[in-house]
């Protein structure tokens, strides 16, 4: 069975500056914060179905992998994913506040 080896992995957080049906311009910051920020253009289609809802100010993640095949030739792949924050209802927030208050009472009881 042929093997592949990940020879490099780079991750960035991006903020969409401008987007249309074909191109997306974004500011990229390395997740390890060791490199420099840069501005780059991507094909909007790389966001897949998320391209329909993406807009300026949205955050996405870019992962680039370099893989070496058994023959030694490198292949690079990239993946863009829009950050998903989820949808919080008023009931969710009220429930979480109640849970936090209950936990705080239990913590306070430890020190009485």
């Amino acid at each position: 069975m042929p093997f592949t080896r990940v020879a490099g992995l780079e991750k960035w957080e991006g903020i969409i500056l401008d987007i249309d049906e074909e191109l997306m311009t974004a500011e990229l910051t390395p997740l390890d914060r060791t490199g420099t920020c840069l501005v780059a253009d991507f094909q909007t289609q790389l966001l897949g179905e998320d391209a329909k809802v993406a807009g300026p100010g949205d955050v996405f993640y870019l992962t680039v992998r370099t893989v070496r095949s058994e023959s030694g030739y490198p292949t690079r792949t990239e993946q863009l994913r829009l950050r998903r924050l989820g949808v919080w209802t008023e009931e969710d927030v009220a429930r979480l506040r109640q849970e936090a208050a209950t936990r705080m009472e239990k913590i306070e009881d430890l020190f009485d």
Side-chain angles (χ1 to χ4, degrees):
M1 172 166 76
F3 70 91
T4 56
R5 180 175 304 175
V6 175
L9 181 66
E10 301 169 67
K11 296 181 180 184
W12 289 273
E13 179 179 79
I15 297 175
I16 298 174
L17 302 175
D18 190 34
I19 187 169
D20 62 30
E21 290 182 13
E22 294 180 20
L23 280 180
M24 173 178 78
T25 302
E27 180 179 78
L28 297 170
T29 304
L31 282 180
D32 63 6
R33 306 287 189 237
T34 59
T36 59
C37 293
L38 51 104
V39 174
D41 291 327
F42 298 94
Q43 292 177 332
T44 302
Q45 70 182 4
L46 290 173
L47 286 173
E49 288 296 309
D50 287 337
K52 296 175 185 174
V53 297
D58 285 346
V59 175
F60 68 95
Y61 299 102
L62 168 64
T63 303
V64 178
R65 292 174 192 83
T66 303
V67 178
R68 288 200 185 277
S69 67
E70 191 174 70
S71 62
Y73 290 104
T75 303
R76 294 193 79 156
T77 62
E78 70 280 331
Q79 179 187 33
L80 276 79
R81 343 176 261 301
L82 203 59
R83 182 171 67 182
R84 301 278 187 183
L85 296 177
V87 177
W88 295 78
T89 65
E90 296 282 336
E91 293 81 20
D92 292 333
V93 174
R95 179 180 48 79
L96 291 170
R97 282 192 176 134
Q98 181 57 47
E99 287 177 14
T102 301
R103 288 183 184 181
M104 191 60 170
E105 288 174 9
K106 289 180 181 179
I107 291 171
E108 289 172 347
D109 288 345
L110 292 172
F111 296 97
D112 288 341

